[in-house]
Structure formats: structure tokens, C-alpha cells
Amino acid sequence: MAKTTPANRSVGWIGLKRGHRANPIEWCLERLIFLVSLTAILMILLIFLFIGREALPVALGRVNTALVQKTIPVSDLDKLSESQLSDYLGLTHDQFASMDRDTLRTLMELKAESVHEGSSNQDAALNTASWSCLVRPHQWSGYPRPEFIWQPVGEIPKYNLVPLIIGSLKVSVVALVFSVPLALAAAIYVAQMARPRIREVAKPVIELLAGIPSVVLGFFALIVMASALHGLFGYPSRLNALVAGLALGVSVIPVVFSIAEDALTSVPRSYVQAALALGASRWKAAWQVVLPAALPGVFAAVALGFGRAIGETMIVLMASGNASIVSWNFLDSTRTITATIAAELGEVVFSSPHYRILFLIGVLLFIVTFLTNLVADLVMHRLKSELEGKR
């Protein structure tokens, strides 16, 4: 049995004094750092709750944009409860509380008049904010066949989301096709083949591309790139998904390069040395040995690049043409979700169906971006555990 010495007793006493009693300043700083680290998660939750609250009425089917509705006679004003009357007039609780009886009567008369005026159009009785109109084609009046249409301003507002989703995917695909090969080639060269002096210069220069403001890239695409490509190929639409995607790819390159280069550098040097000892060239060792070993990290880089591309606003707003056309032709003008929110949210009527649908597509964009980043983060952690081993 070990004897208790004065040194052991002093060590045990020091252990008991650890914590906020031993050094209260250090304990407070640790707790402060911990609270600061939680602010990112808290901000994400608050943003999602705010956006989701505005989009929830549309998601639950509580918004009705039909012009032809069942009218309630003005004489029945006293027979309705406050909730029934506010729902009928489309008022919030605070708005309803601020109005007197004469104002409510006037609103009911205007409601009846607007319903009567809109009854001449066969689409007036359609709720264009329903999910069937948001995601499926509809045979609109004056169109020869069912169409996907995003046209929020008009006699009959149309809120179909398919043109915006297709536009976002088109621009993101062009950006990834342009940026991923360049970024991966640069990452392989810098991580495996470049000399130390070249590596010290090339890596910071490529990563500095992330510091270029997106409005500068959008302006360059609008003025220089669009004119040059239009003069070279002569396609009909000067601003299209190709121009926006190429400009967007420039902003994606540093994201993909940085993550992929870290993944390639994390591969043990013994892999390369063994391949070179067997007679493989440096390029063959990098392509057939290092790249497969770093494939999860490369996937994470591409996933983060996709999240960066689909969430970009200013570049696509300036260079895509902003025409909600349902077409897979990359030379046609297009309109993305982010550009739609940026262009229309500042002028939309508060709490209108258009306002809430913009928040709904914001929720969809948030979910896609969050899931993409989450998958990329999980893959990166898996890569580290495979390369470093489980502890």
C-alpha cells in the first residue's frame, strides 16, 4: 500500500482548489468563451425561427389569394367574432385592434367591391398560394398549355417556385463545372508537386480570391464578361446562366481549393513515398494514390462549394438576366432564388402573400444550404478519423 507523502498531499490539495475558487478570473473567462462559442448556433436558430414564422402561414395553407371568395354582407359585421373578422379582412391582431368600427365597415365594403371586380377572370377563384400552384404547372387563362410561371405582380399573381429552383440549379451547375476542375488541379499541384517557394506564393494568392467582394465580380461579369462572350458566340441573351455561372465559379474556386488542399496535405507522406519507390511518377502517385485517399475531403470541398454557389446573391442578381424562364438551356436568361429575394423583398407589401412566399423560398434555401454544409462537415470529420485513427 502506497504511503501518503507531503508531496502527494500537496498535489491533492491543489487539485481540490482547482475551479472558480482557485482562479475566479480564469474560470469566468472560460465560461465567457464557452458562451461566445454558442452564439453562432443561437443566431442560426433565431434566424430560422424568424423566417419560419413568416413563412408558416403559406406552408400550412392558411393564405388565400383568390379574388373571388365568399363575401360577408356588411350588415353581418356585428355577428362576426374578432378572429373571424380579422381572418376575413386579412388583418393581424395588432392591425385589427387599432381600427374602429367605421374603418372595419369600410374595409368590408372594399372587400366586396374587389371580389366583384375580379370575378370576370376565370383564374380569379384560384388560390395561387396553394402548394399545387407553387410546385405544379397550371393551365392559366390565355396560355395554350400548363405553365410554370413566377409573376407575383399582376391581375392574378402567380407564385410557382419551379422557375426559381431551375434557375438556381443551372447557375450552380455551371459554377461547379467551371470551378471544381480548376480548384482541384490547383490543390493537387500545390499540395503534391509544387516546390516550397511556389507553394508559399500560390496558396495565399488563390485563397485571396475569397476576399474579392461579390459585387465586384458581378460588375465585372455584367460589363466585361457578358459583352466578351456575347460578341464571341453571338447568343440571343447577353445575360444568362452561363455568364452568371462563370462569374460565380470564380468565387467558388478558393472555397474548393482551400478544403481540397487541406485534405490532400493530410494524406500521410508514406503513401507517396511508397508509390515513388515502386516506380510511379509524382503525377501518377498524386492521381492514383493521394487523391483516392483524400476523396472524402474532396467531396466535402465540392459540397461546400455548392453551398457557396447556391447561396450567392449579388453576382447572379447582376449577371443572370433575372428572367424566370423554365428552360435547361444555359444560354437563356434565368432567375435564382437568392436574386428573387434580394430584388423583391424591399418593395413587397408587408404580410402580403407575396411577402410570405418570399420568406418561404428563403426557408427552402436555408434548409438546402444548412444540409449541404452539415454533410460536408460530417465527411470532413470522417476523413480526419480515418487518416488520424480513432482515439
Side-chain angles (χ1 to χ4, degrees):
M1 184 174 181
K3 296 182 178 180
T4 302
T5 63
N8 293 336
R9 286 196 298 268
S10 63
V11 171
W13 175 249
I14 293 174
L16 291 174
K17 291 181 66 179
R18 288 178 180 175
H20 64 281
R21 294 183 179 180
N23 196 337
I25 298 178
E26 181 180 349
W27 183 83
C28 292
L29 289 176
E30 290 177 357
R31 295 299 180 271
L32 179 62
I33 294 173
F34 175 73
L35 293 176
V36 171
S37 65
L38 295 178
T39 55
I41 299 176
L42 180 61
M43 290 299 296
I44 291 175
L45 291 177
L46 291 177
I47 292 173
F48 186 75
L49 288 175
F50 170 74
I51 299 175
R53 183 189 64 179
E54 300 296 334
L56 191 61
V58 179
L60 298 179
R62 297 177 180 175
V63 175
N64 190 1
T65 61
L67 298 180
V68 178
Q69 302 176 9
K70 181 180 178 180
T71 59
I72 300 177
V74 181
S75 58
D76 293 344
L77 177 62
D78 298 330
K79 300 179 182 179
L80 299 176
S81 63
E82 293 185 359
S83 60
Q84 292 175 339
L85 188 57
S86 59
D87 291 341
Y88 174 69
L89 296 177
L91 302 175
T92 63
H93 178 73
D94 295 336
Q95 292 173 340
F96 181 84
S98 63
M99 295 180 181
D100 55 15
R101 178 183 177 83
D102 294 335
T103 304
L104 294 175
R105 180 181 295 274
T106 303
L107 289 178
M108 292 187 67
E109 293 174 352
L110 293 175
K111 182 82 171 180
E113 292 178 1
S114 62
V115 169
H116 177 72
E117 292 175 356
S119 61
S120 59
N121 194 316
Q122 65 177 8
D123 295 328
L126 180 66
N127 180 16
T128 58
S130 62
W131 278 106
S132 60
C133 292
L134 292 177
V135 298
R136 297 175 59 185
H138 179 72
Q139 182 70 49
W140 301 99
S141 177
Y143 289 84
R145 58 182 179 274
E147 297 283 354
F148 299 98
I149 300 177
W150 173 267
Q151 193 179 68
V153 179
E155 180 183 0
I156 305 297
K158 306 172 182 65
Y159 302 112
N160 197 278
L161 306 181
V162 174
L164 308 183
I165 296 174
I166 292 178
S168 298
L169 292 178
K170 284 168 61 176
V171 174
S172 300
V173 166
V174 174
L176 292 180
V177 170
F178 171 70
S179 63
V180 169
L182 294 178
L184 291 183
I188 293 174
Y189 175 76
V190 170
Q192 299 297 323
M193 290 183 253
R195 297 177 181 179
R197 290 184 179 180
I198 298 178
R199 183 183 300 113
E200 292 176 359
V201 175
K203 183 176 180 180
V205 169
I206 297 175
E207 291 179 344
L208 278 176
L209 290 174
I212 301 178
S214 58
V215 66
V216 175
L217 293 176
F219 182 78
F220 176 79
L222 175 66
I223 302 300
V224 180
M225 188 182 298
S227 300
L229 293 177
H230 184 261
L232 183 62
F233 297 105
Y235 42 74
S237 301
R238 178 176 173 271
L239 300 178
N240 49 52
L242 177 63
V243 175
L246 293 177
L248 186 58
V250 177
S251 67
V252 175
I253 286 177
V255 177
V256 179
F257 167 81
S258 181
I259 305 300
E261 195 271 338
D262 290 341
L264 293 169
T265 306
S266 300
V267 177
R269 298 295 300 175
S270 58
Y271 287 20
V272 180
Q273 295 170 357
L276 296 177
L278 293 174
S281 62
R282 295 189 65 86
W283 166 251
K284 194 172 184 179
W287 180 256
Q288 297 185 359
V289 177
V290 178
L291 185 60
L295 194 59
V298 172
F299 171 78
V302 176
L304 289 174
F306 174 77
R308 172 71 174 85
I310 202 168
E312 173 58 39
T313 302
M314 190 55 64
I315 295 175
V316 295
L317 179 63
M318 300 177 68
S320 64
N322 291 314
S324 56
I325 301 174
V326 180
S327 169
W328 288 108
N329 186 355
F330 293 94
L331 300 180
D332 289 336
S333 296
T334 190
R335 190 178 185 88
T336 65
I337 291 176
T338 53
T340 301
I341 297 174
E344 300 178 7
L345 189 58
E347 299 179 356
V348 71
V349 179
F350 180 76
S351 296
S352 64
H354 185 193
Y355 174 87
R356 298 192 181 279
I357 290 175
L358 289 178
F359 274 93
L360 177 65
I361 62 178
V363 170
L364 297 178
L365 181 64
F366 182 87
I367 293 174
V368 171
T369 306
F370 179 78
L371 292 179
T372 302
N373 293 335
L374 180 62
V375 170
D377 187 72
L378 293 176
V379 173
M380 289 179 62
H381 281 81
R382 180 180 178 183
L383 170 66
K384 291 182 179 179
S385 64
E386 290 179 353
L387 294 179
E388 299 175 2
K390 297 181 178 180
R391 297 179 181 178

